[in-house]
Amino acid sequence: MTTPHVSRQLHEARGIRVFHRPGHTDWTLVAFGPRQAHFSGDRWWGVGLGRREGLDVIGIAPSSYDWYPRDAMAELLPVIRAAAKPAIVSYGFSMGGYGALKYASALGARGVLSLSGQYSIDPADGTTGDRGMTYFDPVRHRDMRITPGDYPDGALLLWDPEAKSDDNHARAIARLPGIRAVPLRLAGHATPAIFSETGRLIPVAEALIAGRHEDAVAGIRAARREAPTVLLAAAALLQAQGHARWAA
């Protein structure tokens, strides 16, 4: 009988916990989560994908809007590298999309999937709005914007340009060298749905690991066309524009 894969906590530093759920992939997805008010050994952002698709996944779960500060990550990164398989894909959503980019090179990641990724929490950088004013710590978050060298060439940024807050961040990130911008219209701030609803994450991640970036982008665009969240948004838009027949 096959031994079930069990998730366990690896470490905690300054309110950020690291979990690992072993899987059958010969690479590891390092999943930087958004803020999570409640989590446990089998309840953290990314574990659902691991369970459904058999991924080897390490989840990084922050309990507050702290934007993965250097002091905590300096303690956590060696733990993550030690537990991960040699090939890593850095993956994250919103604040976690920031983390996926910011620490990809430090992890030795072969690819990056930043979903609705954020550029900076510093209000001086002009992208963060009220959230930056609320959560920015001038000591912990000084000079923590995304910069070249944080991520490998071909890092993928996925976002909906119609989601204004996300678009402000995405425009700043997309101007950086080595970033491949992949707009996902009608996804809103629910960009992870293109993977959770379609089962296309594994082929996209494996294309990135192999350096086949165009295949990865093609897989993402196919996922967008298939995701029910996007299809429902398209139907609602058609309905609102008076094209009820097309929306059906």
Side-chain angles (χ1 to χ4, degrees), residues 106-224:
L107 287 168
R110 303 266 289 275
V112 180
L113 291 165
S114 175
L115 287 75
S116 305
Q118 314 283 279
Y119 171 66
S120 170
I121 193 177
D122 190 341
D125 290 324
T127 58
T128 193
D130 292 342
R131 177 170 293 181
M133 298 299 292
T134 302
Y135 299 108
F136 177 65
D137 182 326
V139 175
R140 298 185 84 199
H141 299 134
R142 181 170 59 87
D143 295 331
M144 281 193 61
R145 68 186 67 84
I146 303 295
T147 58
D150 290 337
Y151 50 84
D153 282 347
L156 299 186
L157 171 67
L158 288 58
W159 89 105
D160 184 346
E162 299 303 318
K164 181 171 174 50
S165 176
D166 290 348
D167 194 50
N168 290 339
H169 287 277
R171 287 176 180 273
I173 296 171
R175 288 194 289 266
L176 299 174
I179 295 290
R180 175 68 183 272
V182 185
L184 300 175
R185 298 188 184 278
L186 300 178
H189 194 60
T191 46
I194 70 160
F195 293 126
S196 63
E197 295 177 353
T198 66
R200 285 190 176 267
L201 178 59
I202 288 178
V204 167
E206 292 182 345
L208 285 177
I209 291 168
R212 295 184 285 104
H213 292 88
E214 293 306 317
D215 289 347
V217 171
I220 290 165
R221 289 175 173 156
R224 175 188 172 273

Side-chain angles (χ1 to χ4, degrees), residues 4-244:
H5 295 301
V6 177
S7 170
R8 64 187 181 93
Q9 181 173 319
L10 299 179
H11 200 65
E12 179 177 2
R14 296 165 175 81
I16 302 176
R17 300 186 191 188
V18 173
F19 298 94
H20 183 208
R21 185 185 189 279
H24 64 67
T25 52
D26 58 5
W27 49 274
T28 298
L29 187 77
V30 176
F32 289 80
R35 172 188 173 270
Q36 297 167 246
H38 305 287
F39 43 73
S40 63
D42 60 354
R43 184 182 175 187
W44 40 272
W45 194 84
V47 74
L49 273 176
R51 189 180 301 115
R52 286 192 300 273
E53 302 193 28
L55 301 172
D56 190 84
V57 58
I58 293 175
I60 311 173
S63 58
S64 63
Y65 293 109
D66 62 4
W67 284 60
Y68 297 99
R70 292 186 189 92
D71 54 358
M73 293 307 296
E75 185 174 336
L76 295 174
L77 286 168
V79 175
I80 297 166
R81 288 194 299 263
K85 295 180 179 180
I88 291 172
V89 172
S90 186
Y91 175 80
F93 169 56
S94 194
M95 181 177 76
Y98 164 87
L101 285 165
K102 187 66 182 175
Y103 296 105
S105 292
L107 287 168
R110 303 266 289 275
V112 180
L113 291 165
S114 175
L115 287 75
S116 305
Q118 314 283 279
Y119 171 66
S120 170
I121 193 177
D122 190 341
D125 290 324
T127 58
T128 193
D130 292 342
R131 177 170 293 181
M133 298 299 292
T134 302
Y135 299 108
F136 177 65
D137 182 326
V139 175
R140 298 185 84 199
H141 299 134
R142 181 170 59 87
D143 295 331
M144 281 193 61
R145 68 186 67 84
I146 303 295
T147 58
D150 290 337
Y151 50 84
D153 282 347
L156 299 186
L157 171 67
L158 288 58
W159 89 105
D160 184 346
E162 299 303 318
K164 181 171 174 50
S165 176
D166 290 348
D167 194 50
N168 290 339
H169 287 277
R171 287 176 180 273
I173 296 171
R175 288 194 289 266
L176 299 174
I179 295 290
R180 175 68 183 272
V182 185
L184 300 175
R185 298 188 184 278
L186 300 178
H189 194 60
T191 46
I194 70 160
F195 293 126
S196 63
E197 295 177 353
T198 66
R200 285 190 176 267
L201 178 59
I202 288 178
V204 167
E206 292 182 345
L208 285 177
I209 291 168
R212 295 184 285 104
H213 292 88
E214 293 306 317
D215 289 347
V217 171
I220 290 165
R221 289 175 173 156
R224 175 188 172 273
R225 291 192 297 269
E226 297 168 3
T229 290
V230 175
L231 294 175
L232 287 170
L237 181 61
L238 289 169
Q239 184 81 31
Q241 293 176 344
H243 301 298

